[in-house]
Amino acid sequence: MKARQAADDAASAASKAAIFTFLGLLIGVAAAGFGAKKGTDSKDDYNRYDRPVHSAV
């Protein structure tokens, strides 16, 4: 019976780790999307953080 309990505990821990990993992935995707949107928005108009673009010609 101890082996079954150990296997159940390991499966439970692996399941929790998978759930938290997935939630972390979703948070990362949301943060990347927000950063991309903010970065794109800053290029639409003048922004004090924009660097001047110098032509190479």
Side-chain angles (χ1 to χ4, degrees), residues 16-55:
K16 287 178 186 175
I19 289 170
F20 284 119
T21 300
F22 182 71
L23 290 176
L25 176 69
L26 289 180
I27 291 170
V29 166
F34 180 74
K37 177 75 173 128
K38 293 297 285 183
T40 302
D41 285 346
S42 71
K43 297 301 175 195
D44 291 341
D45 294 320
Y46 173 76
N47 189 326
R48 66 184 174 137
Y49 298 113
D50 288 345
R51 291 178 289 165
V53 177
H54 301 291
S55 65

